Amino acid sequence: MILQLVDLILSVVFFVMIVHIIMSWLINFNVLNLSQPLVYQIWDGLNRLLDPLYRPIRRILPDTGALDLAPLVVFIGIIALRDIIIPGLARGMMM
């Protein structure tokens, strides 16, 4: 039950991160404009949700200028947790 809840939370964070990444591309390529109130509110909300995940990673990673690798590291961590570690724990609890 607990592992299913953790898996659900990780899946939601995974989806929110995908939306954040796609939105950042659209903003960088001027498809979306942050001067539009709705776009700015969504972007600000996503940044506020995901910044607590990214901040500790950003402290550890070297500064790469405009290229932010923290989302990639968190993304890989979520995939590892969701697809490798949680199923392994579930199998271990069944035995």
Side-chain angles (χ1 to χ4, degrees):
M1 178 72 173
I2 298 282
L3 292 178
Q4 290 174 335
L5 180 62
V6 171
D7 186 51
L8 175 65
I9 292 169
L10 289 173
S11 295
V12 169
V13 172
F14 184 84
F15 174 75
V16 169
M17 285 185 68
I18 293 215
V19 170
H20 184 253
I21 291 166
I22 291 172
M23 194 169 177
S24 74
W25 292 341
L26 294 175
I27 289 169
N28 286 328
F29 290 115
N30 292 321
V31 175
L32 293 177
N33 189 345
L34 286 176
S35 64
Q36 298 171 331
L38 180 61
V39 172
Y40 178 78
Q41 286 178 347
I42 293 170
W43 180 247
D44 187 51
L46 289 172
N47 282 326
R48 288 177 187 222
L49 278 172
L50 294 172
D51 193 53
L53 293 175
Y54 296 158
R55 196 178 315 121
I57 305 298
R58 286 180 180 137
R59 278 191 230 125
I60 296 169
L61 291 176
D63 185 20
T64 55
L67 182 62
D68 186 11
L69 296 176
L72 178 64
V73 172
V74 173
F75 206 65
I76 291 170
I78 288 174
I79 291 170
L81 280 170
R82 203 180 68 175
D83 297 343
I84 300 168
I85 296 171
I86 290 178
L89 287 173
R91 279 191 302 271
M93 290 173 61
M94 294 293 222
M95 292 181 174

